[in-house]
Amino acid sequence: MTNYGADLLWVLIFASLGFSALAVFLSISRHRRRHPPAVPHTAGEDVAAEAARKVIREFEKNGQSADAALVTWSPETLRKILADDLPDAQVIVVSNREPYIHNVKDDGVEVKDDGVELLVPASGLVSALEPITRACAGTWIAYGGGTADRLTVDDHDRVQVPPGNPSYTLRRVWLTEEEHQGYYLGFANEGLWPLCHIAFTRPIFRASDWAAYEAVNRKFADTVVAEARNERPIVLVQDYHFALLPRMIRERLPEAIVITFWHIPWPNSEVYSICPWRERILEGLLGSSIIGFHTQFHANNFTESVDRFLESRIERADAAISYGGRTTLVHAYPISIEWPADLLAKLPAVDDCRARMRERFGLKADVKLAVGVERLDYTKGILDRFHALNELFKRQPEWIGKLVFLQIAAPSRGTLPAYKLLHDECHRYAEELNRRYGSEGYRPVIMVAEHHSQEQVYEIYRAADICMVTSLHDGMNLVAKEFVAARDDEQGVLMLSTFAGASRELLEALIVNPYDAAMMSGALLQALTMSPEEQRERMRPMRETIRNNNVYRWAGSMLLDAARLRKRGDLDRVTGAVSDPPPSVDNVVSIFERRRVAMS
């Protein structure tokens, strides 16, 4: 190489280094201008609310955000969001199940002086939504199915709850026996429930059930409109009982923010195609401003179903669907539970809970206690636990007499054939295991088919050595989170199905495949022999996960998204018509352009 060529090469090298250094300098300067150093908060500033506003999420996968984890999500945070970002907004919750049930006096239940007993259902939906409605001082609309529900409401079918410390309004809706049979037991639970769960139970669809479902959804829509104090409420529609309700509300209250949360899985589009009214259900749900699912997988399945059966515009980059001139956001919001659980303050110490459970069920002090707690449902994998227990006793007979499995199975939908069959199978298998492995004073399986209060359920959690959550298919399953929250002693082992949404968050649980009895028995043995130190190492991060991702964060994420939508809608109304938006890259339309495109 000549001297001239060598000199030129060095010039090029130094020039390149110079430009690189300049680029780094400019980048740092730009970052500092955009992100100035934090300044201390002045007296009186609400740190939690300020942080909450900073974590308004722009379409994040599975509802997770690194910044959101820094916020202490609490009732105060929600109230501040409503006051600052959604002023004068009325929150209306709609669900089939009511948070408080009044029944005519019956033995065995705590009774009020007026001869009416109060039942708080041990329901995942209720345990998640009740603290939210309390924090927002909202209105909860639900089916009034208690035998004394009509006796406890005012002239407008309302009752203030919770008893003793009222903080929100429960508005009851009355259904005839025929309406309840067709809408709830029929279309919702013989049709949609098995359709959405991979549990190999055939869905049953009847035209009469569909007519009842449509009529009841219309009745609830009438009630929402009657309870709305203005044209712009925030309506939280809950679950598969009300797939048609969002559009019905939208037709009557076009400026409402309608957030629909689908608490169960959404099937793939091929399975969904079984439903005779598939297009009507999708159209009904797309009346929502926001549709939420537990996991991104279920949200993707819903989007694929819309793409297959409706002529719509799918904006995958924005997780949004445009249909009929309106846009619906489709997000994953993993539901959770209240943290800290106020219930824990009312419960005895863990050792006292263990002593009480052993006395109640006649268990020896050295016997390990495994528990399952849920409704009696074919999606929960109850029989599969029995298979795993049988497998363990065959492979490890030394555990016979040293392990008892307690199954709390609240009666559910007992008039439906599939549930009657499951009830009989569970009891038959439990009796068979007790005959095969039991002895005088020892039953390896205890089946308790009765309802328990939330306080009683938490006492069982605290007494257990192992909690088995072995769903064949589930949206989230809050039993797993409740068990972890109940264990402030950082002991106990959670066995968790890979087919439950909670397995995406509680990674330190023993993750199992409920269809594999051998694997389940191996995990059961691992749980039985796990040291207290390992239990603590596993329990501590799971408790931290639930603390960070509590139910207030779940609701707060949806309310912040609702606030953003409302502000954009207000901006559209103020600015009116605008010029055509600039072309987008790869034919992806930004959410900021969406509504003006849809209206053009």
Side-chain angles (χ1 to χ4, degrees), residues 98-116:
E98 57 183 336
Y100 295 93
I101 303 170
H102 291 95
N103 286 324
V104 175
K105 180 178 178 179
D106 190 15
D107 293 334
V109 183
E110 183 179 352
V111 178
K112 295 167 63 179
D113 294 337
D114 56 5
V116 173

mmCIF file of all heavy atoms in Angstrom, residues 98-116:
data_model
loop_
_atom_site.group_PDB
_atom_site.id
_atom_site.type_symbol
_atom_site.label_atom_id
_atom_site.label_comp_id
_atom_site.label_asym_id
_atom_site.label_seq_id
_atom_site.Cartn_x
_atom_site.Cartn_y
_atom_site.Cartn_z
ATOM 1 N N GLU A 98 -74.089 -11.869 42.691
ATOM 2 C CA GLU A 98 -74.083 -10.710 43.570
ATOM 3 C C GLU A 98 -73.091 -10.923 44.711
ATOM 4 O O GLU A 98 -72.824 -12.049 45.125
ATOM 5 C CB GLU A 98 -75.486 -10.448 44.117
ATOM 6 C CG GLU A 98 -76.106 -11.610 44.855
ATOM 7 C CD GLU A 98 -77.525 -11.311 45.321
ATOM 8 O OE1 GLU A 98 -77.862 -10.121 45.485
ATOM 9 O OE2 GLU A 98 -78.304 -12.268 45.545
ATOM 10 N N PRO A 99 -72.525 -9.832 45.235
ATOM 11 C CA PRO A 99 -71.514 -9.965 46.286
ATOM 12 C C PRO A 99 -72.090 -10.288 47.662
ATOM 13 O O PRO A 99 -71.375 -10.789 48.526
ATOM 14 C CB PRO A 99 -70.839 -8.595 46.291
ATOM 15 C CG PRO A 99 -71.895 -7.659 45.787
ATOM 16 C CD PRO A 99 -72.694 -8.448 44.782
ATOM 17 N N TYR A 100 -73.369 -9.993 47.863
ATOM 18 C CA TYR A 100 -74.034 -10.298 49.136
ATOM 19 C C TYR A 100 -75.397 -10.908 48.831
ATOM 20 O O TYR A 100 -76.164 -10.343 48.033
ATOM 21 C CB TYR A 100 -74.198 -9.037 49.991
ATOM 22 C CG TYR A 100 -72.886 -8.445 50.429
ATOM 23 C CD1 TYR A 100 -72.270 -7.445 49.683
ATOM 24 C CD2 TYR A 100 -72.256 -8.888 51.589
ATOM 25 C CE1 TYR A 100 -71.054 -6.907 50.071
ATOM 26 C CE2 TYR A 100 -71.030 -8.359 51.990
ATOM 27 C CZ TYR A 100 -70.445 -7.371 51.220
ATOM 28 O OH TYR A 100 -69.237 -6.847 51.610
ATOM 29 N N ILE A 101 -75.662 -12.040 49.453
ATOM 30 C CA ILE A 101 -76.910 -12.766 49.228
ATOM 31 C C ILE A 101 -77.678 -12.826 50.543
ATOM 32 O O ILE A 101 -77.119 -13.190 51.579
ATOM 33 C CB ILE A 101 -76.641 -14.192 48.721
ATOM 34 C CG1 ILE A 101 -75.810 -14.167 47.432
ATOM 35 C CG2 ILE A 101 -77.947 -14.952 48.489
ATOM 36 C CD1 ILE A 101 -75.302 -15.529 46.997
ATOM 37 N N HIS A 102 -78.953 -12.482 50.494
ATOM 38 C CA HIS A 102 -79.804 -12.575 51.673
ATOM 39 C C HIS A 102 -80.757 -13.762 51.517
ATOM 40 O O HIS A 102 -81.458 -13.865 50.509
ATOM 41 C CB HIS A 102 -80.616 -11.286 51.867
ATOM 42 C CG HIS A 102 -79.779 -10.111 52.258
ATOM 43 N ND1 HIS A 102 -79.288 -9.207 51.335
ATOM 44 C CD2 HIS A 102 -79.330 -9.697 53.467
ATOM 45 C CE1 HIS A 102 -78.587 -8.276 51.963
ATOM 46 N NE2 HIS A 102 -78.590 -8.547 53.258
ATOM 47 N N ASN A 103 -80.740 -14.630 52.493
ATOM 48 C CA ASN A 103 -81.609 -15.805 52.480
ATOM 49 C C ASN A 103 -82.475 -15.836 53.728
ATOM 50 O O ASN A 103 -82.113 -15.275 54.773
ATOM 51 C CB ASN A 103 -80.778 -17.096 52.416
ATOM 52 C CG ASN A 103 -80.181 -17.330 51.046
ATOM 53 O OD1 ASN A 103 -80.797 -17.026 50.017
ATOM 54 N ND2 ASN A 103 -78.963 -17.840 51.004
ATOM 55 N N VAL A 104 -83.622 -16.499 53.603
ATOM 56 C CA VAL A 104 -84.454 -16.725 54.767
ATOM 57 C C VAL A 104 -83.697 -17.608 55.744
ATOM 58 O O VAL A 104 -82.926 -18.495 55.343
ATOM 59 C CB VAL A 104 -85.785 -17.386 54.350
ATOM 60 C CG1 VAL A 104 -86.630 -17.734 55.579
ATOM 61 C CG2 VAL A 104 -86.562 -16.465 53.414
ATOM 62 N N LYS A 105 -83.889 -17.356 57.019
ATOM 63 C CA LYS A 105 -83.145 -18.039 58.075
ATOM 64 C C LYS A 105 -83.094 -19.542 57.864
ATOM 65 O O LYS A 105 -84.086 -20.187 57.563
ATOM 66 C CB LYS A 105 -83.786 -17.737 59.432
ATOM 67 C CG LYS A 105 -83.093 -18.403 60.607
ATOM 68 C CD LYS A 105 -83.754 -18.003 61.913
ATOM 69 C CE LYS A 105 -83.094 -18.716 63.088
ATOM 70 N NZ LYS A 105 -83.712 -18.334 64.375
ATOM 71 N N ASP A 106 -81.893 -20.091 58.074
ATOM 72 C CA ASP A 106 -81.681 -21.531 57.960
ATOM 73 C C ASP A 106 -80.636 -21.920 58.984
ATOM 74 O O ASP A 106 -79.755 -21.136 59.311
ATOM 75 C CB ASP A 106 -81.205 -21.907 56.551
ATOM 76 C CG ASP A 106 -81.202 -23.407 56.324
ATOM 77 O OD1 ASP A 106 -81.818 -24.129 57.128
ATOM 78 O OD2 ASP A 106 -80.582 -23.845 55.347
ATOM 79 N N ASP A 107 -80.717 -23.130 59.492
ATOM 80 C CA ASP A 107 -79.761 -23.579 60.500
ATOM 81 C C ASP A 107 -78.367 -23.692 59.889
ATOM 82 O O ASP A 107 -78.200 -24.032 58.729
ATOM 83 C CB ASP A 107 -80.175 -24.940 61.067
ATOM 84 C CG ASP A 107 -81.464 -24.839 61.875
ATOM 85 O OD1 ASP A 107 -81.756 -23.747 62.403
ATOM 86 O OD2 ASP A 107 -82.161 -25.849 61.956
ATOM 87 N N GLY A 108 -77.375 -23.451 60.700
ATOM 88 C CA GLY A 108 -75.991 -23.675 60.278
ATOM 89 C C GLY A 108 -75.338 -22.463 59.655
ATOM 90 O O GLY A 108 -74.195 -22.516 59.249
ATOM 91 N N VAL A 109 -76.064 -21.343 59.538
ATOM 92 C CA VAL A 109 -75.489 -20.140 58.951
ATOM 93 C C VAL A 109 -75.680 -18.992 59.923
ATOM 94 O O VAL A 109 -76.695 -18.915 60.617
ATOM 95 C CB VAL A 109 -76.169 -19.803 57.593
ATOM 96 C CG1 VAL A 109 -75.502 -18.593 56.957
ATOM 97 C CG2 VAL A 109 -76.116 -20.999 56.669
ATOM 98 N N GLU A 110 -74.713 -18.092 59.974
ATOM 99 C CA GLU A 110 -74.827 -16.941 60.858
ATOM 100 C C GLU A 110 -76.059 -16.128 60.488
ATOM 101 O O GLU A 110 -76.261 -15.747 59.337
ATOM 102 C CB GLU A 110 -73.575 -16.063 60.740
ATOM 103 C CG GLU A 110 -73.594 -14.890 61.696
ATOM 104 C CD GLU A 110 -72.337 -14.059 61.574
ATOM 105 O OE1 GLU A 110 -71.414 -14.495 60.871
ATOM 106 O OE2 GLU A 110 -72.291 -12.988 62.198
ATOM 107 N N VAL A 111 -76.920 -15.847 61.456
ATOM 108 C CA VAL A 111 -78.213 -15.252 61.178
ATOM 109 C C VAL A 111 -78.306 -13.865 61.807
ATOM 110 O O VAL A 111 -77.845 -13.638 62.916
ATOM 111 C CB VAL A 111 -79.343 -16.160 61.726
ATOM 112 C CG1 VAL A 111 -80.699 -15.528 61.491
ATOM 113 C CG2 VAL A 111 -79.272 -17.517 61.068
ATOM 114 N N LYS A 112 -78.896 -12.962 61.092
ATOM 115 C CA LYS A 112 -79.142 -11.637 61.628
ATOM 116 C C LYS A 112 -80.382 -11.671 62.515
ATOM 117 O O LYS A 112 -81.171 -12.604 62.485
ATOM 118 C CB LYS A 112 -79.345 -10.656 60.471
ATOM 119 C CG LYS A 112 -78.111 -10.471 59.601
ATOM 120 C CD LYS A 112 -78.439 -9.761 58.315
ATOM 121 C CE LYS A 112 -78.957 -8.370 58.569
ATOM 122 N NZ LYS A 112 -79.258 -7.635 57.342
ATOM 123 N N ASP A 113 -80.581 -10.594 63.297
ATOM 124 C CA ASP A 113 -81.674 -10.559 64.261
ATOM 125 C C ASP A 113 -83.038 -10.608 63.601
ATOM 126 O O ASP A 113 -84.014 -11.017 64.211
ATOM 127 C CB ASP A 113 -81.564 -9.292 65.120
ATOM 128 C CG ASP A 113 -80.316 -9.312 66.001
ATOM 129 O OD1 ASP A 113 -79.815 -10.422 66.265
ATOM 130 O OD2 ASP A 113 -79.863 -8.226 66.398
ATOM 131 N N ASP A 114 -83.147 -10.152 62.342
ATOM 132 C CA ASP A 114 -84.449 -10.099 61.692
ATOM 133 C C ASP A 114 -84.828 -11.405 61.012
ATOM 134 O O ASP A 114 -85.781 -11.453 60.232
ATOM 135 C CB ASP A 114 -84.491 -8.955 60.673
ATOM 136 C CG ASP A 114 -83.374 -9.063 59.647
ATOM 137 O OD1 ASP A 114 -82.639 -10.070 59.667
ATOM 138 O OD2 ASP A 114 -83.227 -8.142 58.822
ATOM 139 N N GLY A 115 -84.089 -12.475 61.275
ATOM 140 C CA GLY A 115 -84.427 -13.759 60.690
ATOM 141 C C GLY A 115 -83.935 -13.946 59.274
ATOM 142 O O GLY A 115 -84.327 -14.897 58.601
ATOM 143 N N VAL A 116 -83.091 -13.056 58.809
ATOM 144 C CA VAL A 116 -82.522 -13.156 57.466
ATOM 145 C C VAL A 116 -81.033 -13.408 57.603
ATOM 146 O O VAL A 116 -80.338 -12.717 58.353
ATOM 147 C CB VAL A 116 -82.774 -11.866 56.665
ATOM 148 C CG1 VAL A 116 -82.035 -11.916 55.333
ATOM 149 C CG2 VAL A 116 -84.260 -11.659 56.437
#
